[in-house]
Amino acid sequence: MRRLLAVLGLIALVSPASAADYDLPTLRGTETFVPAFPTYSHWDGFYFGGQLSYGNAQANFTSSTQPLFAIPLRELALESEVGVSGFQLLGPVETGAGGVGGFVGYNAQFDQAIIGLEFSYIHSNFDMVAPNFPIGRQTGRLSNGFAYRFVLDGSGSLRLTDIGELRVRAGYAMGAFMPYVMFGLASGRADLALQVSCSCQELTPPTNFVDADFSFASGQAKSSAYLWGYSGGTGLEWALTQSIFARADYEYIQWSPITRITSHLNIAHLGFGVRF
């Protein structure tokens, strides 16, 4: 009986204390797990910046002189039987040049994927002067009974000064970096000039008496002519802060032929921009 009374007394002493007052251990796995939302760098919105460039331009003048010879000589056996207008007088040329310009665009961001539209401009001076290979020959007697003595010469140049592009970019956010690819339409402004000369004589075999002289010179020139083409490339942007970024990219531009001159451009850019 005494022991029972002692136990009841101890219970009465501790009953006012709440279980919450005791620091009881918590079983593992009983706490609620709340996943954290992923965070990405801010790439969306409008942006603009400046850029420096260096590129390598190539132009091929191989067939550019053909019309300048074919039209004046179209009535002669020299053209119909020998085909002198197809002779290669000019060749391909390659040159490098730097440039300066800017860009402006807008990015839309979907989690880590970025899609954007951008306009880019570069002012440069790709001055391409074609190497020339004069040709001089004398034919045998042709179907009209005459032979021909001729010397053909020519020159050509293409100077590309301004390049503008409207391009689509697709990128992927990787922390402070965004690699991207780009495709677009390109326009260029260029000055070009072509000049040819023909010292052509009709001879009477076998004495080679000069029966007629068909010598002439002709040419064509265009100032601020427009080139059109397409471009593709790849690049990388680096977020220096939430609003300032640096970029480096490379692209290839293929121009459509102009006066039978085909050309293309490999160009790299280094730029800095501000994003809003």
Side-chain angles (χ1 to χ4, degrees), residues 47-49 51 102-107 115-121 164-170 178 180 182-185 231 237 245 247 249 251 269:
Y47 63 89
F48 73 93
Q51 58 186 348
F103 54 86
V104 60
Y106 178 80
N107 287 332
I115 299 294
L117 183 66
E118 177 179 290
F119 174 77
S120 172
Y121 168 76
E165 292 179 78
L166 182 64
R167 56 197 187 188
V168 175
R169 301 195 312 156
M178 184 188 75
Y180 59 89
M182 54 190 176
F183 304 94
L185 300 175
S231 65
E237 284 192 1
F245 63 91
R247 63 154 57 168
D249 61 41
E251 64 181 334
H269 308 98

Side-chain angles (χ1 to χ4, degrees), residues 51-58 93-101 122-128 158-163 251 264-270:
Q51 58 186 348
L52 300 175
S53 72
Y54 186 84
N56 179 273
Q58 296 181 337
V93 61
E94 179 179 337
T95 189
V100 61
I122 286 292
H123 176 74
S124 190
N125 185 21
F126 293 99
D127 196 2
M128 293 164 277
L158 176 66
R159 180 172 173 262
L160 177 62
T161 55
D162 298 280
I163 303 164
E251 64 181 334
H264 63 266
L265 178 64
N266 292 279
I267 188 167
H269 308 98
L270 178 64

Side-chain angles (χ1 to χ4, degrees), residues 73-108:
L73 298 175
R74 63 188 181 278
E75 299 295 334
L76 298 180
L78 177 64
E79 171 63 13
S80 61
E81 298 182 29
V82 181
V84 293
S85 65
F87 289 1
Q88 180 181 333
L89 298 178
L90 305 178
V93 61
E94 179 179 337
T95 189
V100 61
F103 54 86
V104 60
Y106 178 80
N107 287 332

Side-chain angles (χ1 to χ4, degrees), residues 183-198:
F183 304 94
L185 300 175
S187 176
R189 189 168 66 90
D191 302 323
L192 64 92
L194 289 170
Q195 187 74 31
V196 299
S197 65
C198 175

